[in-house]
Amino acid sequence: MLTVDFSRFPLAPGDRVLDLGCGAGRHAFECYRRGARVVALDQNAEEIREVAKWFAAMEEAGEAPAGATATAMEGDALALPFPDESFDVVIISEVMEHIHDDKGVLAEMVRVLKPGGRIAITVPRYGPEKVCWTLSDAYHEVEGGHIRIYKADQLLARIREAGLKPYGTHHAHALHSPYWWLKCAFGVDNDKALPVRAYHKLLVWDIMKKPLATRVAEQALNPLIGKSFVAYATKPHLPPVDAA
């Protein structure tokens, strides 16, 4: 289940991509399939080991084109172990709401991104996320949980302040908002509640089968209750220095 829309976020074979806070690796895997040279980075050692296993399995199965490469590594988003201007593309999906120093993370992403490069940032959308916080303290008051809710204009202001130029936004995963509302209402850790189990089956069916009915429904509902807010931006080229 991808949050970044690659029809709005072009990726060329050979592009060097950083998936920052990659988690289980869903965007890193898609970039690898598209022929990129991918680095998937996360502070969670267990998830990085799983991502590395999946990269190896994809290579063995021939899922990535010739020239594509993939590396999974542990790292700190506030101190990236890469030289300046190392990447053509940076993706950070559902991560910034967890980090106290979000300005520091943005600064590091801008540092390692090449001029003219592209960044995709996704965070929980304000409205659906606010409902979750209202229904359940346990949803966000956990170690490593969400510490803020972004409004769209707030995130875009942060992006501009970091020196990036936004060029597009959209919402995603509308069908997932009611699921999390149910989880919060019946208990975040209570997966046995009948409404939660029933809705989860619907989501699994949707993800596996991709029926037209749910695709159309989600597209119609995304502007209203899309769970994620997605922003795309570029790093401007610096003007030439006047030697005089």
Side-chain angles (χ1 to χ4, degrees), residues 51-93:
V51 170
K53 289 178 184 177
W54 279 106
F55 278 150
M58 291 172 67
E59 181 180 13
E60 185 175 348
E63 290 190 34
T69 62
T71 302
M73 62 184 294
E74 287 183 67
D76 182 354
L78 290 165
L80 295 174
F82 310 112
D84 296 355
E85 302 179 4
S86 299
F87 294 93
D88 303 289
V89 172
V90 177
I91 296 171
I92 184 166
S93 183

Side-chain angles (χ1 to χ4, degrees), residues 15-19 37-39 80 82-90 112-115 117-118:
D15 275 352
R16 191 151 192 249
V17 177
L18 173 63
D19 186 1
R37 296 173 292 154
V38 183
V39 176
L80 295 174
F82 310 112
D84 296 355
E85 302 179 4
S86 299
F87 294 93
D88 303 289
V89 172
V90 177
V112 302
L113 186 66
K114 296 177 182 178
R118 302 171 303 285

Side-chain angles (χ1 to χ4, degrees), residues 151-172:
K151 292 184 177 179
D153 56 356
Q154 178 189 16
L155 180 62
L156 291 171
R158 288 269 200 280
I159 291 170
R160 293 187 181 99
E161 288 167 7
L164 297 168
K165 184 177 180 180
Y167 70 83
T169 65
H170 64 89
H171 301 99

Side-chain angles (χ1 to χ4, degrees), residues 10 67 134 161 166 234:
T134 301
E161 288 167 7
T234 59

